[in-house]
Amino acid sequence: MAATQKKLSETSFCALDLETTGTNAALHMIVEVGIVRFRMSGIDEIFESLVNPGVKMPEEVISVHGITDDMVRNAPQIGDILADIRAS
């Protein structure tokens, strides 16, 4: 096996989940970030944060993910947690 190749069992993966204020990436904002770093042997790290989108969320969006304006009111903005996300 070449020095740059890893066994699958030694490889780290990340699963990213975002909740947003809508479905259009050009218009809508992130309201929650969830990241799980894992290997085949199990979970290494979990990162989760609500995000203040700076806009009011439509009721139809709240009914999908259950995150309300009150829940994100005191949450950090996305720019405030980017360093934490990069470290995950």
Side-chain angles (χ1 to χ4, degrees):
M1 183 176 290
T4 59
Q5 293 180 336
K6 283 186 179 179
K7 293 181 181 179
L8 189 57
S9 61
E10 298 170 350
T11 302
S12 182
F13 300 91
C14 284
L16 169 68
D17 180 45
L18 301 174
E19 299 297 340
T20 64
T21 60
T23 59
N24 186 327
L27 300 175
H28 297 113
M29 308 299 287
I30 296 170
V31 297
E32 184 179 31
V33 177
I35 303 169
V36 177
R37 181 183 296 276
F38 63 97
R39 298 171 198 252
M40 294 191 62
S41 60
I43 294 173
D44 291 334
E45 183 179 359
I46 296 174
F47 175 86
E48 182 179 7
S49 180
L50 290 173
V51 177
N52 186 332
V55 298
K56 184 167 173 41
M57 282 186 274
E59 287 298 322
E60 61 270 14
V61 172
I62 293 171
S63 70
V64 172
H65 54 53
I67 300 169
T68 66
D69 293 318
D70 286 341
M71 293 169 69
V72 299
R73 181 170 286 115
N74 295 318
Q77 293 185 334
I78 191 67
D80 296 332
I81 63 170
L82 287 177
D84 296 330
I85 292 171
R86 282 187 202 102
S88 293

